[in-house]
Amino acid sequence: MDFASLMTAEISKTKEKSTTTIPEATTATASRTKKYLRRAEIESQREEAYLEEQASLQRARDAKARQKRKIEEEESTRARAREEKRRRLAHESRIRREEEEATKEHARRKRLGLPDLPPPSSSDTNAKDGEAADGNGLPIAAEQEDIPNVELLALLRKLGEPAILFDESHRARLRRYR
């Protein structure tokens, strides 16, 4: 026996086995999977996979956005707390500094034999006695009578002056009118 005859014998044995088992296997697998798929079926599978992937990406983006919002909210809460603490400390230090200045002034006046100053009232914080405040919160001196803005603009126009200059306050217009 030569090699060729041995090979043909082996091949024929495997062909006999495969012909008996293939019909049984193909009927079982044919019911589960198709041998050929239509292009529309392939496209619908691809589209489903794409939509599923996009939905998972969107869920991941949403989770990341929620996490970012949460971090930003925590940071803004911390910033508000820091700002409130800074404001409170600045207020306390300003009060402490004013008290120290008042005690130093009191000691100086006592040393020089001057009478004590009257305690500051709440109206003194906004404007001094005998002064009104203009629109910017700046005091207007007693000799400068406050003129309503509309009338002041009319008076300036009568004089041939520009009614309003760039970045000019009511107080500055009053000075220019005088």
Side-chain angles (χ1 to χ4, degrees):
M1 289 220 154
D2 63 333
F3 180 74
S5 61
L6 285 173
M7 285 303 289
T8 51
E10 286 296 318
I11 291 174
S12 64
K13 286 181 191 176
T14 57
K15 281 186 181 178
E16 290 174 6
K17 288 180 184 176
S18 64
T19 56
T20 58
T21 57
I22 289 178
E24 297 168 22
T26 55
T27 56
T29 57
S31 63
R32 283 183 269 155
T33 61
K34 295 180 180 179
K35 187 173 183 180
Y36 299 104
L37 295 174
R38 293 187 342 211
R39 181 178 292 270
E41 293 171 347
I42 294 172
E43 186 64 26
S44 67
Q45 288 174 356
R46 187 190 65 77
E47 187 175 346
E48 287 173 10
Y50 174 77
L51 292 175
E52 190 175 305
E53 180 185 359
Q54 290 301 313
S56 68
L57 289 174
Q58 184 62 36
R59 285 190 298 272
R61 279 192 295 265
D62 292 343
K64 190 174 183 179
R66 277 193 304 275
Q67 183 69 21
K68 184 178 179 182
R69 275 193 302 273
K70 182 180 176 184
I71 290 171
E72 287 174 350
E73 288 172 359
E74 290 172 354
E75 182 61 34
S76 67
T77 303
R78 284 193 297 264
R80 278 193 301 270
R82 275 194 309 268
E83 182 64 26
E84 182 61 34
K85 183 177 180 181
R86 187 189 63 77
R87 229 179 289 136
R88 183 176 39 83
L89 289 174
H91 179 68
E92 290 172 359
S93 67
R94 182 173 42 85
I95 290 172
R96 198 176 322 114
R97 186 178 59 245
E98 288 172 355
E99 289 173 353
E100 288 173 2
E101 288 173 0
T103 30
K104 284 180 183 179
E105 181 65 20
H106 178 69
R108 185 184 73 82
R109 287 182 159 276
K110 192 172 188 176
R111 188 179 65 236
L112 294 174
L114 298 172
D116 286 340
L117 291 174
S121 64
S122 62
S123 64
D124 287 344
T125 59
N126 294 336
K128 295 180 181 174
D129 292 336
E131 294 182 349
D134 69 352
N136 294 335
L138 299 172
I140 299 172
E143 67 268 1
Q144 288 184 344
E145 183 180 314
D146 191 20
I147 302 173
N149 200 25
V150 176
E151 293 176 22
L152 181 60
L153 294 176
L155 290 171
L156 285 170
R157 285 187 181 122
K158 274 186 189 176
L159 293 174
E161 293 285 321
I164 298 174
L165 296 176
F166 179 74
D167 199 30
E168 184 180 38
S169 67
H170 180 74
R171 182 178 178 191
R173 280 191 287 278
L174 266 176
R175 269 195 242 126
R176 193 163 46 98
Y177 174 69
R178 303 272 180 226

